[in-house]
Amino acid sequence: MLYAAGHNFTAPVDLPEMAPLIRMGKLIIPDEYVDPFNSRPAFRQTPLVVAVQGYCYTLGIEAMLAADIATAADPRFSELEVKRGIMATGGATIRMVERSGWGNAMRYLVTGEEFDAETALRLNFVQEIVELGEQLNRALEIAQQISGQAPLVVRQTIISARLAVDEGSAAAVALCKDI
């Protein structure tokens, strides 16, 4: 589970302070913690459910897109690095295109334009919109449902899906034959 206790998921984030760390390869998340950005091998093999609300900008969008399932309540999204002259380096340029296609992603990546929950749902950035105050409860319900499944099969499902995205369906099929 990944969620914010305050009114906003990720605002304000000090982009000029974060960008140089990312460019230098310095870890924002120490090795002993789960990497919500799923940006370093070995990639996460357990599902991450995220609950967002309020401002969900920059690194917040990138963490949300790296999660497996996202619920959202009254969010305001913007991948606004372009407005600050900073390259988005947390995965948005990859995952937004994967989820929504080139034109849909470029509209928001190169303009920094803000968008709402309905747009995020249409673009496959979030899986469910809920009433404000219910985002964490709903995300917990989903996480509990997942935890009731066979853990090894959940893990292999994530591995297979990641392999299909990264290396193609033939690689995922070959993996399933070996199981």
Side-chain angles (χ1 to χ4, degrees):
M1 281 291 310
L2 180 63
Y3 65 96
H7 296 291
N8 298 303
F9 187 63
T10 55
V13 172
D14 191 345
L15 291 177
E17 192 174 303
M18 299 299 286
L21 296 174
I22 295 169
R23 273 197 303 273
M24 292 184 316
K26 295 202 176 188
L27 298 176
I28 297 172
I29 310 296
D31 279 338
E32 62 268 18
Y33 295 103
V34 172
D35 175 11
F37 301 102
N38 214 25
S39 61
R40 61 180 183 236
F43 294 110
R44 183 175 20 81
Q45 297 178 356
T46 55
L48 178 60
V49 181
V50 64
V52 301
Q53 75 276 347
Y55 293 111
C56 183
Y57 287 177
T58 63
L59 288 173
I61 289 178
E62 292 166 338
M64 177 189 72
L65 291 172
D68 299 291
I69 301 168
T71 64
D74 197 30
R76 294 171 59 185
F77 297 102
S78 179
E79 191 62 36
L80 56 79
E81 285 97 327
V82 69
K83 290 182 172 185
R84 306 292 188 263
I86 299 168
M87 178 63 190
T89 58
T93 58
I94 300 162
R95 293 183 179 115
M96 286 176 79
V97 173
E98 285 176 348
R99 298 244 184 129
S100 69
W102 183 269
N104 287 324
M106 287 300 118
R107 175 175 177 188
Y108 298 103
L109 285 169
V110 300
T111 67
E113 183 182 338
E114 192 172 281
F115 56 97
D116 61 12
E118 289 76 19
T119 301
L121 183 65
R122 179 179 59 80
L123 297 176
N124 299 314
F125 297 164
V126 301
Q127 286 62 62
E128 193 169 328
I129 300 170
V130 298
E131 293 294 321
L132 186 59
E134 291 302 313
Q135 66 277 8
L136 179 56
N137 290 336
R138 182 61 183 132
L140 283 169
E141 287 173 6
I142 294 168
Q144 288 170 342
Q145 185 177 4
I146 293 167
S147 71
Q149 308 311 313
L152 294 178
V153 176
V154 170
R155 171 181 260 176
Q156 283 303 127
T157 298
I158 290 173
I159 292 169
S160 176
R162 172 171 282 288
L163 194 58
V165 167
D166 292 348
E167 297 180 28
S169 58
V173 169
L175 173 72
C176 290
K177 288 180 181 177
D178 292 339
I179 296 176

